[in-house]
Amino acid sequence: VTSDLKAEVLANPDFFVRRDPSLPLTLMDQKDAGKTLVLITNSDWSYTRPMMQYICDSFLPEGVTWRDLFDVVICSARKPAFFAESMPLYEIVDEKSGMMLERFRLEQGKVYCGGHA
């Protein structure tokens, strides 16, 4: 998390974020219907992970987390360049430390940084 605003949001999400209980349930319905769901965000992993936990996890059934809703998660996508330029793709191999390794293809259930469409 590199900005003061993001740090402030993480410290007090109740003040900054209005959660919608229907959002994670709608995503779960789409997933259960066989849809492929991908989250592509410009935010880095250290911000995306706690925010998605805050937005989704408490509204999902026991044992289900926001990660179960998405086939692939891409952080630090640098949109719109993500769609127009060729950039390296890195898999986050340790979700707690954020350690990454370069990859050349996406795999279901993984979290990535960068890359391109």
Side-chain angles (χ1 to χ4, degrees), residues 20-67:
D20 180 351
S22 66
L23 173 66
L25 299 176
T26 300
L27 292 170
M28 192 167 67
D29 286 345
Q30 293 296 304
K31 186 78 172 160
D32 290 345
K35 303 294 182 187
T36 298
L37 300 180
V38 178
L39 174 64
I40 303 174
T41 177
N42 285 352
S43 295
D44 61 20
W45 178 242
S46 64
Y47 184 76
T48 300
R49 182 178 178 213
M51 289 309 299
M52 291 301 293
Q53 287 171 335
Y54 175 76
I55 291 167
C56 295
D57 286 358
S58 65
F59 302 113
L60 292 168
E62 187 175 334
V64 177
T65 72
W66 73 273
R67 287 291 308 284

Side-chain angles (χ1 to χ4, degrees), residues 24 27 31 37-39 45 48-50 52-53 56-57 60 63-75 91-96 107-112:
L27 292 170
K31 186 78 172 160
L37 300 180
V38 178
L39 174 64
W45 178 242
T48 300
R49 182 178 178 213
M52 291 301 293
Q53 287 171 335
C56 295
D57 286 358
L60 292 168
V64 177
T65 72
W66 73 273
R67 287 291 308 284
D68 299 313
L69 302 175
F70 297 97
D71 293 280
V72 172
V73 175
I74 300 174
C75 300
E91 178 189 350
I92 297 177
V93 294
D94 184 332
E95 293 184 13
K96 298 218 188 300
E107 292 182 34
Q108 188 170 344
K110 305 281 181 150
V111 177
Y112 298 93

